[in-house]
Amino acid sequence: MPDDTGSAKPSRKPLGRKAHWLEWATGLVSAALVLTMVGWLAWQAAGEEDGKPELVVQAGTFESTEGGHRIAFTIVNRGQRTAAAVPVTARLYDQDRLVEEREVTLDYVPALSSTSGALLFGTDPGTYRLDIRASGYEDP
Amino acid sequence: MPACPRTGTNKGVKAGTVKSNASEEGRDTVPVPGHFIIGLGRGIGGALLFALPMQMTMEMWELGFSMDRWRLVLLLVVALPLLVGIAHKVGFEETFDLKEDLRDAFIAYGLGILTSALVLLLFRLLQPAMPASEILGKIAIQAVPSSIGALLGRSQLESAHQDSGNDDASYGGELLLMAVGALFLNLNMAPTEEMILISYKMTDWHALAVVALSLVLMHGFVYAVSFKGGHEIEPGTPQWHAFIRFTLPGYVIALLISLYALWTFGRLDNVGATPAIMAMIVLAFPGAIGAAAARLIL
């Protein structure tokens, strides 16, 4: 090794060549992708005022499990902001009498997205009136 | 760059400061076992250096059993060509053909699995009572970053590493290096909840600012590092040439890797387009810096 000190590295020559057309193609495709992304976000940002989460809970299927009953649900956030720590409460009513109440807390329901989960009851929910809703949320 | 003196690449400096004669002898001859064992040691060191942050991350343990199995399989398969690509640039030995690259990639994979299993055992995260799928899942998901670390360990820890392969780095090789650099910072953060939490806290305007800052920082690195290392870009090339040919593709690579990592770790399930893009931008911020600084850190 003639150049052992490492203080200078003339061997790393800058390859006196022109850029291949493929490099320009890659660069231009990348530019298009980044510009599209920025454009999309800017368009969203311009359209969005001060958005709030809009949570809708839809009860899914009832299932019998070992020692209980499961109610699956999907929670949709149609708002422009994410909701955090969302308690989903489900109550079973016999006429106006509360039979059973269960609650589960979801970490996040992102904006314009959905999350799913399930609540586990002791009594068979099939025979009662079900009330399921998101009881609140935190701003993340 | 008048501010940076042309002291050669950092690898050149490393090569100069501590010079062992082992690799010089091994260059032309069949590697001696002792040299190979030292290489294994460096691989283990690299695996720990790279993957310990992930091995000590709670989300990574949970992913071991909660992660979609097909995504895990895909991750394990995708890792292989990546490892071969890295092996081609920095292996346990100087490699010249695909067979040796494959061998190095598999050695690294093996070391990654081994070190992950040992570390997880040490932390009592693997217990006999656990189902096999959980034990395997926990090891498998850690094995990917560990194996990348094991391969990089050579260039990180080997004092006498002469990156002869990098001197005539092709454009593709340059992009691969950027991808590895992006992974280096990305994988540490991708599994954590903070990535999506930050994106939830930000508005679209904040995200746009992060994009702008990522590009500016990247270009600073690309410009500074490229002239310091004196590779691909000729002196006198206009700034915007380098921006289009290196900075933008590098950023897109960081974005794509972020997107893949988020999807793999289940952060994008049922998530709308805008929140997904925001999370991608957040994660691509460290990824972009890693990609641009790949020449310095790898």
Side-chain angles (χ1 to χ4, degrees):
Chain A
M1 293 296 283
D3 173 38
D4 229 358
T5 58
S7 58
K9 193 91 184 297
S11 67
R12 179 156 280 201
K13 54 199 171 292
L15 297 173
R17 61 169 182 77
K18 294 281 166 232
H20 195 268
W21 66 267
L22 207 58
E23 300 184 14
W24 286 107
T26 313
L28 291 175
V29 169
S30 305
L33 285 172
V34 172
L35 283 177
T36 309
M37 184 181 78
V38 168
W40 167 270
L41 277 180
W43 179 66
Q44 292 277 318
E48 163 194 0
E49 291 306 308
D50 192 24
K52 296 226 178 329
E54 285 168 34
L55 301 169
V56 181
V57 184
Q58 292 148 350
T61 52
F62 297 5
E63 267 181 296
S64 289
T65 59
E66 206 171 328
H69 300 270
R70 167 168 51 214
I71 298 180
F73 66 85
T74 305
I75 176 165
V76 183
N77 183 357
R78 299 200 177 118
Q80 295 275 357
R81 296 292 293 162
T82 294
V86 182
V88 174
T89 315
R91 296 186 186 87
L92 293 178
Y93 288 102
D94 181 12
Q95 307 297 339
D96 285 338
R97 185 177 62 85
L98 180 65
V99 179
E100 194 171 347
E101 177 178 331
R102 293 283 175 240
E103 187 173 276
V104 64
T105 304
L106 303 172
D107 287 345
Y108 299 105
V109 186
L112 303 167
S113 307
S114 69
T115 307
S116 55
L119 288 153
L120 304 175
F121 283 86
T123 45
D124 185 354
T127 52
Y128 299 105
R129 183 168 62 84
L130 173 69
D131 175 60
I132 185 165
R133 60 181 64 251
S135 322
Y137 62 85
E138 271 178 20
D139 289 321
Chain B
M1 284 304 275
C4 9
R6 286 184 58 91
T7 53
T9 67
N10 69 324
K11 281 166 186 163
V13 172
K14 268 196 263 172
T17 47
V18 192
K19 192 79 188 170
S20 83
N21 50 15
S23 77
E24 298 237 317
E25 286 165 9
R27 178 120 341 125
D28 303 314
T29 56
V30 175
V32 289
H35 182 55
F36 178 70
I37 288 168
I38 291 172
L40 287 185
R42 290 190 176 120
I44 291 171
L48 291 176
L49 189 67
F50 190 70
L52 211 48
M54 275 157 277
Q55 282 155 353
M56 299 176 91
T57 298
M58 198 162 68
E59 285 91 342
M60 286 293 274
W61 314 336
E62 288 162 6
L63 284 165
F65 52 84
S66 68
M67 187 175 165
D68 181 83
R69 294 289 117 166
W70 283 114
R71 291 184 202 183
L72 183 55
V73 169
L74 185 67
L75 179 68
L76 295 176
V77 172
V78 162
L80 198 60
L82 180 74
L83 288 174
V84 173
I86 301 172
H88 190 69
K89 293 195 87 66
V90 285
F92 287 102
E93 306 295 340
E94 298 281 336
T95 57
F96 301 102
D97 58 33
L98 184 66
K99 202 172 74 180
E100 292 182 23
D101 293 338
L102 262 175
R103 178 204 61 191
D104 277 7
F106 274 106
I107 292 174
Y109 225 152
L111 283 181
I113 293 170
L114 200 72
T115 51
S116 303
L118 281 176
V119 170
L120 292 176
L121 269 174
L122 195 66
F123 296 157
R124 206 161 168 262
L125 295 165
L126 303 178
Q127 293 176 33
M130 290 175 180
S133 69
E134 179 178 347
I135 294 177
L136 283 176
K138 279 182 175 173
I139 297 174
I141 194 170
Q142 300 282 3
V144 173
S146 293
S147 57
I148 295 172
L151 269 183
L152 295 180
R154 169 157 155 118
S155 74
Q156 293 258 322
L157 303 178
E158 181 167 9
S159 48
H161 178 60
Q162 288 292 98
D163 50 337
S164 53
N166 280 352
D167 280 340
D168 49 23
S170 62
Y171 185 64
E174 207 65 30
L175 295 187
L176 176 77
L177 205 64
M178 283 198 187
V180 175
L183 277 172
F184 192 88
L185 286 190
N186 238 347
L187 279 179
N188 278 304
M189 309 188 194
T192 62
E193 187 178 310
E194 282 81 350
M195 293 307 110
I196 49 168
L197 179 57
I198 291 170
S199 77
Y200 295 157
K201 283 180 179 289
M202 294 193 317
T203 65
D204 295 337
W205 296 113
H206 290 89
L208 286 171
V210 171
V211 172
L213 185 63
S214 302
L215 282 170
V216 167
L217 286 174
M218 269 196 94
H219 192 62
F221 271 108
V222 166
Y223 191 74
V225 174
S226 68
F227 278 90
K228 194 176 158 215
H231 60 106
E232 284 298 293
I233 308 166
E234 296 172 54
T237 308
Q239 283 258 8
W240 65 272
H241 280 212
F243 186 76
I244 292 190
R245 280 163 52 205
F246 291 94
T247 308
L248 280 175
Y251 187 51
V252 168
I253 286 173
L255 286 171
L256 291 177
I257 287 179
S258 303
L259 193 66
Y260 176 69
L262 288 169
W263 175 78
T264 298
F265 296 146
R267 296 295 192 191
L268 300 182
D269 298 355
N270 299 319
V271 168
T274 306
I277 289 174
M278 303 262 283
M280 175 175 78
I281 287 169
V282 169
L283 185 56
F285 183 54
I289 292 171
R295 283 231 162 242
L296 295 177
I297 59 178
L298 300 182

